[in-house]
Amino acid sequence: MSVKVGMKQSNNVKIAITGGIGSGKSSVSDIVANCGYKVLSCDKIYSELLSQGVFNSALTDAFGNILLKDGSLDRKKLSAIVFSDSSALKKLNEITHPCIIQTALGAMNKIGLNFCEVPLLFENGFERFFDVVIVILRGANERITAITKRDGINEEEAKKRIKQQFDYDNSGFARYYVLHNYGDLADLKSKTLEILEKIEKKYFQKK
């Protein structure tokens, strides 16, 4: 794709790629990255902050002994706690997400289109920090299959994780770009490029 050729960048535009767990956010992010754009990931930022021990003290205070013998965080144990208790998940988000989004926004400082994959955008009200939001919607069965395959968990656990999150199926997204991930990878790529072209035309001016 070469829509950027012969065009002049005029803005710093922050774009969030979001959707429910198992919706295909990472696949869309990869497609955007293959078009030459840098795409940040809040999950990767979270992992980096965890590896640095940034949250360890606050997390152990909140959830008890969730560290491994080497002092690193036992992520599986933490996941089991928060995905079985909505109040625990809310507490985790309150501890970690402000720092994650602050780190992401600080890195999205270049002129042009700046992308970031943000899993829990609407749950935290972070959509207000972005100029553009791309929302990925996908059928429940496809999401469950994707989650069980990716995380090695059973169907019941996958359903539990979906239920804990924002209700994408019954929410309106008229203000945003909506991508329906109901086909194969080729279909997803076609739809992603179509949305990307619309964004580029809106924020880029021809020389």
Side-chain angles (χ1 to χ4, degrees):
M1 186 175 182
S2 58
V3 177
K4 299 188 291 296
V5 176
M7 294 186 176
K8 180 181 179 182
Q9 296 174 325
S10 58
N11 302 79
N12 168 262
V13 185
K14 294 180 175 64
I15 303 170
I17 298 172
T18 195
I21 184 173
S23 61
K25 296 183 296 296
S26 295
S27 295
V28 171
S29 295
D30 288 343
I31 293 167
V32 173
N34 286 335
C35 290
Y37 289 107
K38 181 179 179 180
V39 184
L40 298 175
S41 166
C42 281
D43 281 346
K44 289 182 180 179
I45 292 171
Y46 177 51
S47 293
E48 289 170 3
L49 293 173
L50 286 180
S51 67
Q52 296 167 14
V54 172
F55 303 121
N56 281 11
S57 178
L59 292 177
T60 52
D61 286 346
F63 303 110
N65 183 18
I66 53 172
L67 299 181
L68 297 169
K69 290 182 179 180
D70 63 2
S72 63
L73 186 70
D74 187 336
R75 300 189 192 188
K76 287 187 177 180
K77 189 172 184 178
L78 178 61
S79 294
I81 293 171
V82 300
F83 284 115
S84 62
D85 182 351
S86 58
S87 63
L89 181 59
K90 184 174 184 289
K91 186 180 295 183
L92 174 66
N93 291 345
E94 289 172 348
I95 292 170
T96 62
H97 285 203
C99 184
I100 294 168
I101 201 68
Q102 184 179 16
T103 302
L105 292 172
M108 302 174 75
N109 55 7
K110 294 182 179 179
I111 296 298
L113 305 184
N114 296 265
F115 293 85
C116 186
E117 183 183 331
V118 189
L120 301 176
L121 186 79
F122 297 111
E123 287 90 335
N124 292 296
F126 291 154
E127 68 273 15
R128 68 186 186 276
F129 296 128
F130 293 87
D131 304 293
V132 178
V133 175
I134 300 172
V135 181
I136 305 163
L137 301 181
R138 193 179 195 182
N141 290 336
E142 289 77 13
R143 292 175 65 190
I144 291 168
T145 299
I147 298 165
T148 55
K149 183 178 180 180
R150 183 193 67 192
D151 296 343
I153 59 177
N154 60 40
E155 186 174 312
E156 193 61 33
E157 183 64 27
K159 289 179 179 178
K160 186 186 297 183
R161 294 189 181 190
I162 289 175
K163 189 175 181 180
Q164 290 277 20
Q165 291 193 340
F166 183 80
D167 186 1
Y168 284 86
D169 294 329
N170 297 293
S171 300
F173 300 111
R175 296 172 51 196
Y176 310 118
Y177 293 94
V178 177
L179 195 164
H180 295 281
N181 183 13
Y182 298 152
D184 56 16
L185 186 58
D187 179 70
L188 183 65
K189 181 177 180 179
S190 176
K191 290 175 179 176
T192 301
L193 295 181
E194 183 179 343
I195 289 176
L196 184 56
E197 184 172 5
K198 290 178 181 179
I199 295 171
E200 288 174 328
K201 285 182 177 179
K202 181 176 181 180
Y203 289 100
F204 286 75
Q205 296 176 346
K206 290 184 178 181
K207 292 181 179 179

